[in-house]
Amino acid sequence: MFTSVLMIEKALTSADVEFLTTLHGDEPVSFHVLLQPRGEQADRLLRAIDDVALGEIDEAVREGGTPEGQDAQSMGERALEVSLQALRTTGDTADGRLVEDHPLDALKAMVEEVGADEVIVLTDPHYVEEFFHRDWASRARHRVGVPVLKLFSHSKA
C-alpha cells in the first residue's frame, strides 16, 4: 500500500478525487489528509492579488467576507469530512485532521507519524507565494524528507 499525506485548503472536487486516486494506477493508497482552513493561512491582500491574477475580480472584492477563526474552522471540518468520504468511496483508505497551528510543522509530524511515501499539496494557485517560493510545496520540500508533488485544484469546490 502506498501512503500519501495530502495537504489541502478546501473540499476536494470530484475531479480532484479522480485525479488523486489514479496517480498510482491500481496500487491501493492510504491517504492522510491535512486541511488548513482558509481563514488565517494567508494575508487577505495576497489572496486578493491571486484572485485578480486569475481574473476573478468578484472574488477579490469578497475577500473581506472570508470566514476567520471559529467560522473558518467549522467550514474546514465540513470540507475535511466531505473530502475523506469522497476518497473512501473509491476504495482507498483516508483519515485526516484540521491544521490548527503551523501547517508545515503539522505536515512534517504527519509524514513521520504515518511513514509517508510522498506528500501531495493540492491548492488553488497562489501566485505571489509561489513566485517567492513561500507556498506550502516549495517550503515542504526542504522539511519533510519525502517527495513533494504540487497540484492545482481542478475546479472550485
Side-chain angles (χ1 to χ4, degrees):
M1 177 162 303
F2 204 83
T3 303
S4 294
V5 173
L6 176 60
M7 186 91 164
I8 60 176
E9 61 188 353
K10 64 180 184 179
L12 297 173
T13 65
S14 58
D16 293 332
V17 171
E18 182 179 352
F19 187 64
L20 289 167
T21 57
T22 58
L23 279 173
H24 298 290
D26 292 332
E27 186 172 359
V29 179
S30 174
F31 289 100
H32 301 275
V33 182
L34 289 172
L35 186 139
Q36 168 74 53
R38 183 175 171 150
E40 296 178 20
Q41 77 181 358
D43 181 79
R44 284 185 182 167
L45 177 60
L46 292 178
R47 293 193 312 249
I49 291 170
D50 287 339
D51 290 336
V52 170
L54 289 167
E56 297 173 354
I57 306 301
D58 290 342
E59 289 295 319
V61 172
R62 286 192 285 267
E63 281 300 336
T66 299
E68 300 279 342
Q70 189 62 33
D71 291 336
Q73 185 172 357
S74 176
M75 289 178 67
E77 289 167 353
R78 286 191 300 260
L80 178 61
E81 190 54 39
V82 165
S83 298
L84 293 175
Q85 284 299 111
L87 290 167
R88 289 176 187 142
T89 61
T90 67
D92 290 312
T93 63
D95 61 46
R97 59 184 171 242
L98 292 182
V99 175
E100 296 179 10
D101 290 317
H102 303 288
L104 293 175
D105 292 342
L107 183 62
K108 184 176 182 191
M110 184 170 273
V111 165
E112 293 171 357
E113 177 185 325
V114 302
D117 296 304
E118 69 180 355
V119 167
I120 301 171
V121 176
L122 179 77
T123 65
D124 287 332
H126 298 292
Y127 294 115
V128 175
E129 292 170 341
E130 290 164 22
F131 180 78
F132 292 106
H133 302 286
R134 302 302 302 156
D135 59 297
W136 289 338
S138 296
R139 293 167 50 203
R141 286 186 179 105
H142 303 288
R143 298 192 61 187
V144 297
V146 297
V148 176
L149 178 61
K150 178 181 181 174
L151 301 173
F152 292 122
S153 183
H154 283 77
S155 61
K156 296 285 183 189

